[in-house]
Amino acid sequence: MVEIEINDIAKYIDAAPKEINLMFIGDTGVGKTTAIEDYCKKNNIYLKTLILSQLDASESLGIPVRVEREHNGKIINVLDTAIPSWVLDLEAEKDAILFLDEFLCAQPSVMNS
């Protein structure tokens, strides 16, 4: 782990390959969220923020829905997962960042999802 200043967050985002996930850990109120928001606004990047301490697992993974599937020539009802709309919003954007805020304050089921 590398300790950085809040003002350096943008440099790390710019330097990291898009396939890399970054995790910024710091005390509450030091400006991590503001730094990410400012970076996205300045660079015209779509930002989706999920405040994980306020979610349950179904909101991050999707909720179970009943669908019909064919299996061995029969139509049967099974459970599948509805994709949360924020996933489609991210996919529709050319440049987007998913910001998982308050990760360490989330319930274990949300962290696992």
Side-chain angles (χ1 to χ4, degrees):
M1 186 169 8
V2 176
E3 188 172 318
I4 66 169
E5 296 293 322
I6 291 298
N7 296 335
D8 291 337
I9 284 179
K11 294 175 192 173
Y12 280 85
I13 295 172
D14 285 336
K18 294 202 183 293
E19 302 80 27
I20 298 291
N21 297 318
L22 300 174
M23 178 179 249
F24 299 108
I25 301 171
D27 292 332
T28 301
V30 297
K32 298 177 300 294
T33 300
T34 301
I36 299 293
E37 290 170 345
D38 290 348
Y39 176 84
C40 289
K41 191 177 291 183
K42 177 183 169 192
N43 292 286
N44 199 29
I45 295 172
Y46 175 78
L47 174 66
K48 176 60 181 176
T49 301
L50 296 180
I51 303 173
L52 298 185
S53 65
Q54 298 176 8
L55 298 181
D56 63 32
S58 67
E59 292 174 294
S60 54
L61 277 179
I63 59 171
V65 293
R66 190 173 64 167
V67 296
E68 291 184 345
R69 293 269 172 92
E70 184 178 342
H71 180 71
N72 292 335
K74 290 184 176 183
I75 301 294
I76 57 172
N77 289 316
V78 297
L79 284 180
D80 205 341
T81 304
I83 298 171
S85 62
W86 60 263
V87 173
L88 301 177
D89 295 342
L90 281 172
E91 187 179 73
E93 296 294 328
K94 179 179 178 244
D95 291 315
I97 289 179
L98 172 61
F99 179 47
L100 305 176
D101 203 2
E102 299 184 16
F103 184 86
L104 297 177
C105 299
Q107 298 174 26
S109 61
V110 174
M111 285 185 191
N112 291 334
S113 68

PDB file of all heavy atoms in Angstrom, residues 9-10 12-16 18 22 35-49 89-90 92-99:
ATOM      1  N   ILE A   9      -4.794  11.980  -6.057  1.00  0.00           N
ATOM      2  CA  ILE A   9      -5.713  10.946  -6.531  1.00  0.00           C
ATOM      3  C   ILE A   9      -5.843  10.988  -8.051  1.00  0.00           C
ATOM      4  O   ILE A   9      -5.792   9.959  -8.718  1.00  0.00           O
ATOM      5  CB  ILE A   9      -7.094  11.065  -5.841  1.00  0.00           C
ATOM      6  CG1 ILE A   9      -6.990  10.528  -4.399  1.00  0.00           C
ATOM      7  CG2 ILE A   9      -8.177  10.320  -6.614  1.00  0.00           C
ATOM      8  CD1 ILE A   9      -8.269  10.603  -3.602  1.00  0.00           C
ATOM      9  N   ALA A  10      -5.994  12.167  -8.622  1.00  0.00           N
ATOM     10  CA  ALA A  10      -6.149  12.295 -10.082  1.00  0.00           C
ATOM     11  C   ALA A  10      -4.951  11.724 -10.823  1.00  0.00           C
ATOM     12  O   ALA A  10      -5.107  11.064 -11.854  1.00  0.00           O
ATOM     13  CB  ALA A  10      -6.362  13.755 -10.468  1.00  0.00           C
ATOM     14  N   TYR A  12      -3.033   9.274  -9.908  1.00  0.00           N
ATOM     15  CA  TYR A  12      -3.089   7.813  -9.860  1.00  0.00           C
ATOM     16  C   TYR A  12      -4.165   7.259 -10.787  1.00  0.00           C
ATOM     17  O   TYR A  12      -3.985   6.223 -11.420  1.00  0.00           O
ATOM     18  CB  TYR A  12      -3.289   7.321  -8.420  1.00  0.00           C
ATOM     19  CG  TYR A  12      -1.996   7.332  -7.651  1.00  0.00           C
ATOM     20  CD1 TYR A  12      -1.551   8.490  -7.028  1.00  0.00           C
ATOM     21  CD2 TYR A  12      -1.203   6.199  -7.593  1.00  0.00           C
ATOM     22  CE1 TYR A  12      -0.350   8.508  -6.341  1.00  0.00           C
ATOM     23  CE2 TYR A  12      -0.003   6.207  -6.911  1.00  0.00           C
ATOM     24  CZ  TYR A  12       0.425   7.363  -6.282  1.00  0.00           C
ATOM     25  OH  TYR A  12       1.620   7.373  -5.623  1.00  0.00           O
ATOM     26  N   ILE A  13      -5.290   7.937 -10.872  1.00  0.00           N
ATOM     27  CA  ILE A  13      -6.343   7.497 -11.793  1.00  0.00           C
ATOM     28  C   ILE A  13      -5.838   7.582 -13.231  1.00  0.00           C
ATOM     29  O   ILE A  13      -6.016   6.659 -14.024  1.00  0.00           O
ATOM     30  CB  ILE A  13      -7.628   8.337 -11.613  1.00  0.00           C
ATOM     31  CG1 ILE A  13      -8.222   8.102 -10.225  1.00  0.00           C
ATOM     32  CG2 ILE A  13      -8.649   7.976 -12.695  1.00  0.00           C
ATOM     33  CD1 ILE A  13      -9.377   9.020  -9.884  1.00  0.00           C
ATOM     34  N   ASP A  14      -5.177   8.687 -13.578  1.00  0.00           N
ATOM     35  CA  ASP A  14      -4.644   8.852 -14.926  1.00  0.00           C
ATOM     36  C   ASP A  14      -3.581   7.809 -15.253  1.00  0.00           C
ATOM     37  O   ASP A  14      -3.506   7.318 -16.381  1.00  0.00           O
ATOM     38  CB  ASP A  14      -4.036  10.245 -15.100  1.00  0.00           C
ATOM     39  CG  ASP A  14      -5.090  11.340 -15.232  1.00  0.00           C
ATOM     40  OD1 ASP A  14      -6.227  11.019 -15.641  1.00  0.00           O
ATOM     41  OD2 ASP A  14      -4.764  12.502 -14.923  1.00  0.00           O
ATOM     42  N   ALA A  15      -2.760   7.459 -14.282  1.00  0.00           N
ATOM     43  CA  ALA A  15      -1.650   6.540 -14.517  1.00  0.00           C
ATOM     44  C   ALA A  15      -2.079   5.074 -14.578  1.00  0.00           C
ATOM     45  O   ALA A  15      -1.402   4.257 -15.210  1.00  0.00           O
ATOM     46  CB  ALA A  15      -0.591   6.716 -13.429  1.00  0.00           C
ATOM     47  N   ALA A  16      -3.186   4.749 -13.970  1.00  0.00           N
ATOM     48  CA  ALA A  16      -3.607   3.339 -13.893  1.00  0.00           C
ATOM     49  C   ALA A  16      -4.269   2.905 -15.192  1.00  0.00           C
ATOM     50  O   ALA A  16      -5.083   3.640 -15.763  1.00  0.00           O
ATOM     51  CB  ALA A  16      -4.577   3.147 -12.737  1.00  0.00           C
ATOM     52  N   LYS A  18      -7.022   1.179 -17.473  1.00  0.00           N
ATOM     53  CA  LYS A  18      -8.468   1.153 -17.232  1.00  0.00           C
ATOM     54  C   LYS A  18      -8.952  -0.170 -16.630  1.00  0.00           C
ATOM     55  O   LYS A  18      -9.984  -0.225 -15.996  1.00  0.00           O
ATOM     56  CB  LYS A  18      -9.222   1.457 -18.515  1.00  0.00           C
ATOM     57  CG  LYS A  18      -8.993   2.870 -18.997  1.00  0.00           C
ATOM     58  CD  LYS A  18     -10.101   3.333 -19.902  1.00  0.00           C
ATOM     59  CE  LYS A  18      -9.868   4.699 -20.455  1.00  0.00           C
ATOM     60  NZ  LYS A  18      -9.886   5.771 -19.517  1.00  0.00           N
ATOM     61  N   LEU A  22      -8.790   0.578  -8.473  1.00  0.00           N
ATOM     62  CA  LEU A  22      -8.045   1.343  -7.474  1.00  0.00           C
ATOM     63  C   LEU A  22      -8.854   1.411  -6.194  1.00  0.00           C
ATOM     64  O   LEU A  22     -10.078   1.523  -6.233  1.00  0.00           O
ATOM     65  CB  LEU A  22      -7.773   2.764  -7.976  1.00  0.00           C
ATOM     66  CG  LEU A  22      -6.954   2.892  -9.260  1.00  0.00           C
ATOM     67  CD1 LEU A  22      -6.901   4.356  -9.688  1.00  0.00           C
ATOM     68  CD2 LEU A  22      -5.554   2.350  -9.046  1.00  0.00           C
ATOM     69  N   ALA A  35     -12.620  14.440  -4.297  1.00  0.00           N
ATOM     70  CA  ALA A  35     -11.540  14.343  -5.283  1.00  0.00           C
ATOM     71  C   ALA A  35     -11.979  13.524  -6.495  1.00  0.00           C
ATOM     72  O   ALA A  35     -11.705  13.897  -7.642  1.00  0.00           O
ATOM     73  CB  ALA A  35     -10.295  13.724  -4.648  1.00  0.00           C
ATOM     74  N   ILE A  36     -12.686  12.420  -6.265  1.00  0.00           N
ATOM     75  CA  ILE A  36     -13.181  11.585  -7.371  1.00  0.00           C
ATOM     76  C   ILE A  36     -14.232  12.350  -8.175  1.00  0.00           C
ATOM     77  O   ILE A  36     -14.217  12.345  -9.407  1.00  0.00           O
ATOM     78  CB  ILE A  36     -13.778  10.262  -6.846  1.00  0.00           C
ATOM     79  CG1 ILE A  36     -12.726   9.435  -6.104  1.00  0.00           C
ATOM     80  CG2 ILE A  36     -14.429   9.469  -7.970  1.00  0.00           C
ATOM     81  CD1 ILE A  36     -11.615   8.898  -6.940  1.00  0.00           C
ATOM     82  N   GLU A  37     -15.158  13.003  -7.489  1.00  0.00           N
ATOM     83  CA  GLU A  37     -16.203  13.778  -8.176  1.00  0.00           C
ATOM     84  C   GLU A  37     -15.593  14.893  -9.027  1.00  0.00           C
ATOM     85  O   GLU A  37     -15.993  15.094 -10.179  1.00  0.00           O
ATOM     86  CB  GLU A  37     -17.190  14.357  -7.158  1.00  0.00           C
ATOM     87  CG  GLU A  37     -18.062  13.304  -6.514  1.00  0.00           C
ATOM     88  CD  GLU A  37     -18.878  13.839  -5.341  1.00  0.00           C
ATOM     89  OE1 GLU A  37     -18.583  14.946  -4.828  1.00  0.00           O
ATOM     90  OE2 GLU A  37     -19.799  13.114  -4.917  1.00  0.00           O
ATOM     91  N   ASP A  38     -14.631  15.614  -8.455  1.00  0.00           N
ATOM     92  CA  ASP A  38     -13.972  16.696  -9.194  1.00  0.00           C
ATOM     93  C   ASP A  38     -13.231  16.163 -10.414  1.00  0.00           C
ATOM     94  O   ASP A  38     -13.277  16.762 -11.494  1.00  0.00           O
ATOM     95  CB  ASP A  38     -13.000  17.464  -8.292  1.00  0.00           C
ATOM     96  CG  ASP A  38     -13.701  18.299  -7.242  1.00  0.00           C
ATOM     97  OD1 ASP A  38     -14.931  18.488  -7.328  1.00  0.00           O
ATOM     98  OD2 ASP A  38     -13.004  18.758  -6.307  1.00  0.00           O
ATOM     99  N   TYR A  39     -12.551  15.048 -10.255  1.00  0.00           N
ATOM    100  CA  TYR A  39     -11.813  14.435 -11.361  1.00  0.00           C
ATOM    101  C   TYR A  39     -12.766  14.087 -12.506  1.00  0.00           C
ATOM    102  O   TYR A  39     -12.493  14.388 -13.670  1.00  0.00           O
ATOM    103  CB  TYR A  39     -11.080  13.181 -10.885  1.00  0.00           C
ATOM    104  CG  TYR A  39     -10.383  12.449 -12.003  1.00  0.00           C
ATOM    105  CD1 TYR A  39      -9.118  12.840 -12.424  1.00  0.00           C
ATOM    106  CD2 TYR A  39     -10.992  11.379 -12.660  1.00  0.00           C
ATOM    107  CE1 TYR A  39      -8.479  12.192 -13.469  1.00  0.00           C
ATOM    108  CE2 TYR A  39     -10.364  10.720 -13.694  1.00  0.00           C
ATOM    109  CZ  TYR A  39      -9.106  11.124 -14.094  1.00  0.00           C
ATOM    110  OH  TYR A  39      -8.480  10.481 -15.138  1.00  0.00           O
ATOM    111  N   CYS A  40     -13.872  13.460 -12.182  1.00  0.00           N
ATOM    112  CA  CYS A  40     -14.830  13.055 -13.219  1.00  0.00           C
ATOM    113  C   CYS A  40     -15.459  14.265 -13.903  1.00  0.00           C
ATOM    114  O   CYS A  40     -15.620  14.271 -15.127  1.00  0.00           O
ATOM    115  CB  CYS A  40     -15.890  12.141 -12.627  1.00  0.00           C
ATOM    116  SG  CYS A  40     -15.237  10.509 -12.195  1.00  0.00           S
ATOM    117  N   LYS A  41     -15.796  15.263 -13.132  1.00  0.00           N
ATOM    118  CA  LYS A  41     -16.387  16.468 -13.714  1.00  0.00           C
ATOM    119  C   LYS A  41     -15.393  17.147 -14.656  1.00  0.00           C
ATOM    120  O   LYS A  41     -15.729  17.530 -15.768  1.00  0.00           O
ATOM    121  CB  LYS A  41     -16.816  17.425 -12.598  1.00  0.00           C
ATOM    122  CG  LYS A  41     -17.663  18.582 -13.064  1.00  0.00           C
ATOM    123  CD  LYS A  41     -18.117  19.444 -11.904  1.00  0.00           C
ATOM    124  CE  LYS A  41     -19.113  18.661 -11.072  1.00  0.00           C
ATOM    125  NZ  LYS A  41     -19.673  19.430  -9.955  1.00  0.00           N
ATOM    126  N   LYS A  42     -14.148  17.279 -14.218  1.00  0.00           N
ATOM    127  CA  LYS A  42     -13.106  17.939 -15.005  1.00  0.00           C
ATOM    128  C   LYS A  42     -12.815  17.188 -16.297  1.00  0.00           C
ATOM    129  O   LYS A  42     -12.536  17.792 -17.333  1.00  0.00           O
ATOM    130  CB  LYS A  42     -11.830  18.051 -14.177  1.00  0.00           C
ATOM    131  CG  LYS A  42     -10.665  18.655 -14.891  1.00  0.00           C
ATOM    132  CD  LYS A  42      -9.422  18.663 -14.007  1.00  0.00           C
ATOM    133  CE  LYS A  42      -8.206  19.010 -14.826  1.00  0.00           C
ATOM    134  NZ  LYS A  42      -6.979  18.760 -14.095  1.00  0.00           N
ATOM    135  N   ASN A  43     -12.889  15.862 -16.266  1.00  0.00           N
ATOM    136  CA  ASN A  43     -12.527  15.032 -17.412  1.00  0.00           C
ATOM    137  C   ASN A  43     -13.734  14.496 -18.185  1.00  0.00           C
ATOM    138  O   ASN A  43     -13.584  13.619 -19.039  1.00  0.00           O
ATOM    139  CB  ASN A  43     -11.646  13.871 -16.952  1.00  0.00           C
ATOM    140  CG  ASN A  43     -10.307  14.358 -16.482  1.00  0.00           C
ATOM    141  OD1 ASN A  43      -9.463  14.739 -17.290  1.00  0.00           O
ATOM    142  ND2 ASN A  43     -10.110  14.382 -15.172  1.00  0.00           N
ATOM    143  N   ASN A  44     -14.932  15.017 -17.882  1.00  0.00           N
ATOM    144  CA  ASN A  44     -16.166  14.613 -18.557  1.00  0.00           C
ATOM    145  C   ASN A  44     -16.350  13.092 -18.526  1.00  0.00           C
ATOM    146  O   ASN A  44     -16.619  12.465 -19.550  1.00  0.00           O
ATOM    147  CB  ASN A  44     -16.192  15.143 -19.991  1.00  0.00           C
ATOM    148  CG  ASN A  44     -17.587  15.155 -20.568  1.00  0.00           C
ATOM    149  OD1 ASN A  44     -18.570  15.296 -19.840  1.00  0.00           O
ATOM    150  ND2 ASN A  44     -17.690  14.990 -21.872  1.00  0.00           N
ATOM    151  N   ILE A  45     -16.212  12.526 -17.344  1.00  0.00           N
ATOM    152  CA  ILE A  45     -16.358  11.084 -17.137  1.00  0.00           C
ATOM    153  C   ILE A  45     -17.628  10.848 -16.331  1.00  0.00           C
ATOM    154  O   ILE A  45     -17.864  11.510 -15.308  1.00  0.00           O
ATOM    155  CB  ILE A  45     -15.136  10.512 -16.392  1.00  0.00           C
ATOM    156  CG1 ILE A  45     -13.885  10.656 -17.257  1.00  0.00           C
ATOM    157  CG2 ILE A  45     -15.359   9.055 -15.999  1.00  0.00           C
ATOM    158  CD1 ILE A  45     -12.598  10.291 -16.554  1.00  0.00           C
ATOM    159  N   TYR A  46     -18.446   9.912 -16.797  1.00  0.00           N
ATOM    160  CA  TYR A  46     -19.664   9.553 -16.067  1.00  0.00           C
ATOM    161  C   TYR A  46     -19.264   8.874 -14.757  1.00  0.00           C
ATOM    162  O   TYR A  46     -18.448   7.948 -14.744  1.00  0.00           O
ATOM    163  CB  TYR A  46     -20.524   8.608 -16.910  1.00  0.00           C
ATOM    164  CG  TYR A  46     -21.741   8.105 -16.188  1.00  0.00           C
ATOM    165  CD1 TYR A  46     -22.866   8.909 -16.042  1.00  0.00           C
ATOM    166  CD2 TYR A  46     -21.768   6.824 -15.648  1.00  0.00           C
ATOM    167  CE1 TYR A  46     -23.986   8.448 -15.371  1.00  0.00           C
ATOM    168  CE2 TYR A  46     -22.893   6.354 -14.986  1.00  0.00           C
ATOM    169  CZ  TYR A  46     -23.993   7.169 -14.851  1.00  0.00           C
ATOM    170  OH  TYR A  46     -25.103   6.715 -14.186  1.00  0.00           O
ATOM    171  N   LEU A  47     -19.816   9.336 -13.660  1.00  0.00           N
ATOM    172  CA  LEU A  47     -19.513   8.780 -12.345  1.00  0.00           C
ATOM    173  C   LEU A  47     -20.773   8.191 -11.745  1.00  0.00           C
ATOM    174  O   LEU A  47     -21.791   8.875 -11.621  1.00  0.00           O
ATOM    175  CB  LEU A  47     -18.958   9.862 -11.416  1.00  0.00           C
ATOM    176  CG  LEU A  47     -18.729   9.459  -9.964  1.00  0.00           C
ATOM    177  CD1 LEU A  47     -17.618   8.408  -9.867  1.00  0.00           C
ATOM    178  CD2 LEU A  47     -18.396  10.671  -9.112  1.00  0.00           C
ATOM    179  N   LYS A  48     -20.705   6.924 -11.383  1.00  0.00           N
ATOM    180  CA  LYS A  48     -21.779   6.286 -10.631  1.00  0.00           C
ATOM    181  C   LYS A  48     -21.228   5.959  -9.253  1.00  0.00           C
ATOM    182  O   LYS A  48     -20.256   5.216  -9.122  1.00  0.00           O
ATOM    183  CB  LYS A  48     -22.267   5.010 -11.325  1.00  0.00           C
ATOM    184  CG  LYS A  48     -23.316   4.258 -10.531  1.00  0.00           C
ATOM    185  CD  LYS A  48     -24.537   5.117 -10.284  1.00  0.00           C
ATOM    186  CE  LYS A  48     -25.577   4.383  -9.475  1.00  0.00           C
ATOM    187  NZ  LYS A  48     -26.715   5.231  -9.150  1.00  0.00           N
ATOM    188  N   THR A  49     -21.817   6.538  -8.242  1.00  0.00           N
ATOM    189  CA  THR A  49     -21.382   6.303  -6.871  1.00  0.00           C
ATOM    190  C   THR A  49     -22.410   5.423  -6.171  1.00  0.00           C
ATOM    191  O   THR A  49     -23.597   5.724  -6.170  1.00  0.00           O
ATOM    192  CB  THR A  49     -21.245   7.635  -6.105  1.00  0.00           C
ATOM    193  OG1 THR A  49     -20.291   8.449  -6.779  1.00  0.00           O
ATOM    194  CG2 THR A  49     -20.802   7.392  -4.675  1.00  0.00           C
ATOM    195  N   ASP A  89     -26.360   1.723 -17.166  1.00  0.00           N
ATOM    196  CA  ASP A  89     -25.934   3.121 -17.294  1.00  0.00           C
ATOM    197  C   ASP A  89     -24.431   3.201 -17.494  1.00  0.00           C
ATOM    198  O   ASP A  89     -23.949   3.956 -18.347  1.00  0.00           O
ATOM    199  CB  ASP A  89     -26.328   3.927 -16.052  1.00  0.00           C
ATOM    200  CG  ASP A  89     -27.829   4.039 -15.870  1.00  0.00           C
ATOM    201  OD1 ASP A  89     -28.566   3.812 -16.851  1.00  0.00           O
ATOM    202  OD2 ASP A  89     -28.260   4.342 -14.737  1.00  0.00           O
ATOM    203  N   LEU A  90     -23.675   2.436 -16.724  1.00  0.00           N
ATOM    204  CA  LEU A  90     -22.216   2.433 -16.859  1.00  0.00           C
ATOM    205  C   LEU A  90     -21.793   1.915 -18.224  1.00  0.00           C
ATOM    206  O   LEU A  90     -20.900   2.464 -18.864  1.00  0.00           O
ATOM    207  CB  LEU A  90     -21.576   1.562 -15.777  1.00  0.00           C
ATOM    208  CG  LEU A  90     -21.445   2.157 -14.392  1.00  0.00           C
ATOM    209  CD1 LEU A  90     -20.979   1.095 -13.410  1.00  0.00           C
ATOM    210  CD2 LEU A  90     -20.486   3.325 -14.394  1.00  0.00           C
ATOM    211  N   ALA A  92     -23.367   2.012 -20.975  1.00  0.00           N
ATOM    212  CA  ALA A  92     -23.762   2.904 -22.064  1.00  0.00           C
ATOM    213  C   ALA A  92     -22.791   4.070 -22.249  1.00  0.00           C
ATOM    214  O   ALA A  92     -22.775   4.697 -23.304  1.00  0.00           O
ATOM    215  CB  ALA A  92     -25.172   3.447 -21.812  1.00  0.00           C
ATOM    216  N   GLU A  93     -21.987   4.330 -21.256  1.00  0.00           N
ATOM    217  CA  GLU A  93     -21.086   5.480 -21.311  1.00  0.00           C
ATOM    218  C   GLU A  93     -19.734   5.094 -21.915  1.00  0.00           C
ATOM    219  O   GLU A  93     -19.236   3.998 -21.688  1.00  0.00           O
ATOM    220  CB  GLU A  93     -20.862   6.045 -19.910  1.00  0.00           C
ATOM    221  CG  GLU A  93     -22.112   6.602 -19.272  1.00  0.00           C
ATOM    222  CD  GLU A  93     -22.649   7.824 -19.977  1.00  0.00           C
ATOM    223  OE1 GLU A  93     -21.850   8.612 -20.536  1.00  0.00           O
ATOM    224  OE2 GLU A  93     -23.878   8.003 -19.964  1.00  0.00           O
ATOM    225  N   LYS A  94     -19.152   6.024 -22.668  1.00  0.00           N
ATOM    226  CA  LYS A  94     -17.822   5.796 -23.249  1.00  0.00           C
ATOM    227  C   LYS A  94     -16.772   5.740 -22.148  1.00  0.00           C
ATOM    228  O   LYS A  94     -15.942   4.847 -22.097  1.00  0.00           O
ATOM    229  CB  LYS A  94     -17.501   6.905 -24.240  1.00  0.00           C
ATOM    230  CG  LYS A  94     -16.133   6.764 -24.875  1.00  0.00           C
ATOM    231  CD  LYS A  94     -15.873   7.884 -25.868  1.00  0.00           C
ATOM    232  CE  LYS A  94     -14.487   7.745 -26.433  1.00  0.00           C
ATOM    233  NZ  LYS A  94     -13.626   8.844 -26.099  1.00  0.00           N
ATOM    234  N   ASP A  95     -16.788   6.726 -21.271  1.00  0.00           N
ATOM    235  CA  ASP A  95     -15.883   6.784 -20.129  1.00  0.00           C
ATOM    236  C   ASP A  95     -16.725   6.831 -18.863  1.00  0.00           C
ATOM    237  O   ASP A  95     -17.580   7.715 -18.716  1.00  0.00           O
ATOM    238  CB  ASP A  95     -14.987   8.027 -20.188  1.00  0.00           C
ATOM    239  CG  ASP A  95     -13.976   7.956 -21.314  1.00  0.00           C
ATOM    240  OD1 ASP A  95     -13.361   6.885 -21.476  1.00  0.00           O
ATOM    241  OD2 ASP A  95     -13.826   8.952 -22.041  1.00  0.00           O
ATOM    242  N   ALA A  96     -16.462   5.904 -17.963  1.00  0.00           N
ATOM    243  CA  ALA A  96     -17.253   5.840 -16.741  1.00  0.00           C
ATOM    244  C   ALA A  96     -16.406   5.293 -15.602  1.00  0.00           C
ATOM    245  O   ALA A  96     -15.476   4.512 -15.814  1.00  0.00           O
ATOM    246  CB  ALA A  96     -18.483   4.960 -16.942  1.00  0.00           C
ATOM    247  N   ILE A  97     -16.750   5.730 -14.412  1.00  0.00           N
ATOM    248  CA  ILE A  97     -16.119   5.224 -13.193  1.00  0.00           C
ATOM    249  C   ILE A  97     -17.224   4.794 -12.247  1.00  0.00           C
ATOM    250  O   ILE A  97     -18.185   5.533 -12.016  1.00  0.00           O
ATOM    251  CB  ILE A  97     -15.233   6.302 -12.527  1.00  0.00           C
ATOM    252  CG1 ILE A  97     -13.980   6.551 -13.375  1.00  0.00           C
ATOM    253  CG2 ILE A  97     -14.850   5.892 -11.105  1.00  0.00           C
ATOM    254  CD1 ILE A  97     -13.055   7.618 -12.818  1.00  0.00           C
ATOM    255  N   LEU A  98     -17.064   3.604 -11.701  1.00  0.00           N
ATOM    256  CA  LEU A  98     -17.930   3.132 -10.628  1.00  0.00           C
ATOM    257  C   LEU A  98     -17.174   3.359  -9.331  1.00  0.00           C
ATOM    258  O   LEU A  98     -16.099   2.801  -9.121  1.00  0.00           O
ATOM    259  CB  LEU A  98     -18.262   1.644 -10.798  1.00  0.00           C
ATOM    260  CG  LEU A  98     -19.019   0.991  -9.635  1.00  0.00           C
ATOM    261  CD1 LEU A  98     -20.369   1.662  -9.414  1.00  0.00           C
ATOM    262  CD2 LEU A  98     -19.181  -0.498  -9.888  1.00  0.00           C
ATOM    263  N   PHE A  99     -17.725   4.192  -8.476  1.00  0.00           N
ATOM    264  CA  PHE A  99     -17.089   4.542  -7.212  1.00  0.00           C
ATOM    265  C   PHE A  99     -17.854   3.875  -6.087  1.00  0.00           C
ATOM    266  O   PHE A  99     -19.018   4.181  -5.848  1.00  0.00           O
ATOM    267  CB  PHE A  99     -17.068   6.063  -7.045  1.00  0.00           C
ATOM    268  CG  PHE A  99     -16.456   6.546  -5.761  1.00  0.00           C
ATOM    269  CD1 PHE A  99     -15.253   6.044  -5.296  1.00  0.00           C
ATOM    270  CD2 PHE A  99     -17.071   7.538  -5.023  1.00  0.00           C
ATOM    271  CE1 PHE A  99     -14.688   6.504  -4.117  1.00  0.00           C
ATOM    272  CE2 PHE A  99     -16.513   8.018  -3.854  1.00  0.00           C
ATOM    273  CZ  PHE A  99     -15.325   7.494  -3.398  1.00  0.00           C
TER     274      PHE A  99
END
